[in-house]
Amino acid sequence: MSDSSSSAELAASMRAMIGRLSPGDRLPSSRELIRRYRVGPATVSQAIAVLAAEGVVITRPGSGTYVAARPQRRAEVADTAWQTVTLADRSVDTRLLTSTFGEPPAGTILLDGGYLHRSLQPTQILTAALARAARRPDAWDRAPATGLASLRSMFATMAGGGASADDVLITAGGQSALSMAFRAIAGPGDPVLVESPTYPGAIAAARAAGLRPVPVPMDADGLQPDLLADAFAMTRARLLYCQPTYHNPTGTVLAPRRRRQIIDAARAAGAFVIEDDFARHLGHGAPLPPPLLADDRDGTVLYLTSLTKPAAPSLRIGALVARGPVMERLRAIRLVDDFFVTRPLQEAAVELLSSPTWERHLRTLAAALRERCAALAAAVTRELPDWTLAHVPAGGLHLWVRLPYGADDTVVADTARRHGVAVSAGNRYFATELPAACLRLGFAATADHAELLEAARRLASALSRP
């Protein structure tokens, strides 16, 4: 085992060793573990700390580390059947957020991922930002419920449209912001208009809040304003959820002429628009349109964005921008839910956004995403000519393809998985019936271009077999 081996790997090896020992037996000394497994002292300390936290070992300062007593097995299994009656029908459906087929086996090429591969993440920048944040004397103090003022100012500048720090609420990522916004505006049983197709997390969050997602069709220019107005009139909905920039899953950008029409339709209905700007930092190099918030004069738009997608999955920092009484409602929900977002992570986000290396990372990321997008699009067009790729997006992390007439997207996704490629079946992205069978193919979660090309070849080979 090399010096770079992780403490998790060492802990796994030590568990196997402990399984051959008896409770009370003394483990080898730290010096012996260092020699035996060829690791550093810090790795040994971390591994022992993990095992102690699990209750596998007991450490006695000055004496050593010992195998802990084995837990006694319970003679009877608890009878929890009564809970089914008490919980009634308020279950939370997470099927849209998790794979139908479970964890992919080793060697699977991941075209179903929604985050950057580790090679695309600004790991060194994040590590340095977190280290600087941790050295601040107030790093572990309680944070304001609305978020650090400096971070709120940064997100206000990012949103534009005259937003100020007072209009911003820091959230634990985009999904948390979305859940809070749904609960702040609508009540159980209320309709919420969504693009068709749309982000599965929005459908799941709406249903978890007791809302009823109602689809509104899109075309190549995004959400259709005339059909949106009809949907507001028929449903009396007071909430629209949309992704105007590099829409997930289609990659569509709302046409400039429609921006004002969307806001006006919502304003006429007395409704709010939740603008999910998840891809604000995921452009491929072309200029991005400003957020819808920039065209909003009356507090119609609630704007949400996040640092998670352009940075790393565990940088769970996002923001909601809103004006008027709805912001007071959001602040109240924040206090009831969790008081505040952890301060060290907020401090790290401030360090990250204020560093010149952040802008360099975004430029590098844009070039990498553009190249990956083009590579996968070309490979799919070449290897799978029966699939229809409507357009190659200028931003985002995904391609949206239509399958041949009569194909079943779930069957295709299952076949792909069995041949070493994970893809997202299109049915997850529709609130009601599917107009056609589609797949979402991601190009950011793979290790490199070679994996993208190999994925297309595997798909073509798998689907050509009888």
Side-chain angles (χ1 to χ4, degrees), residues 25 136 148 205 227 266 282 393 422:
D25 286 352
R136 295 184 178 183
L148 299 180
L227 297 181
L282 298 177

Side-chain angles (χ1 to χ4, degrees), residues 160-182:
S164 70
D166 291 337
D167 301 322
V168 179
L169 177 69
I170 301 302
T171 67
Q175 189 68 22
S176 172
L178 185 56
S179 177
M180 291 173 64
F182 280 155

Side-chain angles (χ1 to χ4, degrees), residues 12-23 25 36-37 67 70:
S13 298
M14 291 178 65
R15 286 190 196 94
M17 174 183 65
I18 290 167
R20 298 188 292 270
L21 301 176
S22 301
D25 286 352
R36 181 184 300 183
Y37 293 104
V67 178
R70 309 277 195 252

Side-chain angles (χ1 to χ4, degrees), residues 153-460:
S153 293
M154 291 174 174
F155 274 112
T157 301
M158 190 186 304
S164 70
D166 291 337
D167 301 322
V168 179
L169 177 69
I170 301 302
T171 67
Q175 189 68 22
S176 172
L178 185 56
S179 177
M180 291 173 64
F182 280 155
R183 288 180 290 128
I185 295 170
D190 287 350
V192 53
L193 305 185
V194 299
E195 295 155 318
S196 184
T198 191
Y199 166 51
I203 300 174
R207 288 174 175 163
L211 310 184
R212 179 168 51 90
V214 177
V216 180
M218 300 174 60
D219 59 21
D221 289 327
L223 197 60
Q224 300 185 54
D226 54 340
L227 297 181
L228 175 64
D230 290 344
F232 274 127
M234 287 188 292
T235 65
R236 300 187 181 277
R238 48 179 174 164
L239 181 59
L240 163 69
Y241 167 79
C242 64
Q243 305 164 89
T245 304
Y246 305 133
H247 170 268
N248 177 14
T250 67
T252 302
V253 176
L254 184 66
R257 67 181 183 279
R258 292 187 177 182
R259 294 166 58 90
R260 189 69 239 173
Q261 293 174 306
I262 298 299
I263 296 174
D264 287 345
R267 183 73 184 88
F272 287 97
V273 175
I274 297 178
E275 177 185 10
D276 187 346
D277 200 18
F278 78 98
R280 177 55 40 183
H281 297 299
L282 298 177
H284 298 174
L288 273 70
L292 284 183
L293 184 73
D295 295 330
D296 177 32
R297 299 184 296 268
D298 307 305
T300 299
V301 176
L302 273 72
Y303 174 85
L304 70 88
T305 191
S306 168
L307 299 179
T308 304
K309 296 293 187 183
S314 284
L315 187 62
R316 306 301 300 175
I317 293 291
L320 272 169
V321 182
R323 302 183 180 98
V326 69
M327 175 52 82
E328 295 304 317
R329 180 78 61 84
L330 290 166
R331 289 171 181 156
I333 290 176
R334 152 51 37 76
L335 285 172
V336 170
D337 277 0
D338 53 12
F339 292 119
F340 57 89
V341 175
T342 178
R343 183 163 190 148
L345 211 54
Q346 290 194 60
E347 297 280 11
V350 171
E351 292 283 351
L352 180 70
L353 294 178
S354 59
S355 169
T357 53
W358 173 245
E359 290 299 327
R360 289 202 294 271
H361 161 67
L362 294 180
R363 289 193 294 271
T364 301
L365 178 61
L369 293 178
R370 181 174 63 250
E371 293 170 1
R372 284 165 170 257
C373 179
L376 182 59
V380 168
T381 301
R382 180 178 61 254
E383 302 286 347
L384 297 148
D386 291 341
W387 291 12
T388 302
L389 177 60
H391 76 290
V392 178
L397 307 175
H398 318 103
L399 297 179
W400 183 244
V401 298
R402 177 174 291 194
L403 301 178
Y405 178 78
D408 185 316
D409 56 339
T410 303
V411 172
V412 171
D414 183 32
T415 301
R417 177 69 66 98
R418 287 187 280 106
H419 289 82
V421 184
V423 299
S424 295
N427 59 71
R428 300 174 58 206
Y429 300 86
F430 292 90
T432 55
E433 293 81 10
L434 278 68
C438 298
L439 295 178
R440 193 191 75 170
L441 308 178
F443 46 79
T446 54
D448 49 33
H449 287 203
E451 279 200 351
L452 293 173
L453 302 182
E454 175 61 19
R457 284 193 289 268
R458 289 185 188 182
L459 288 171

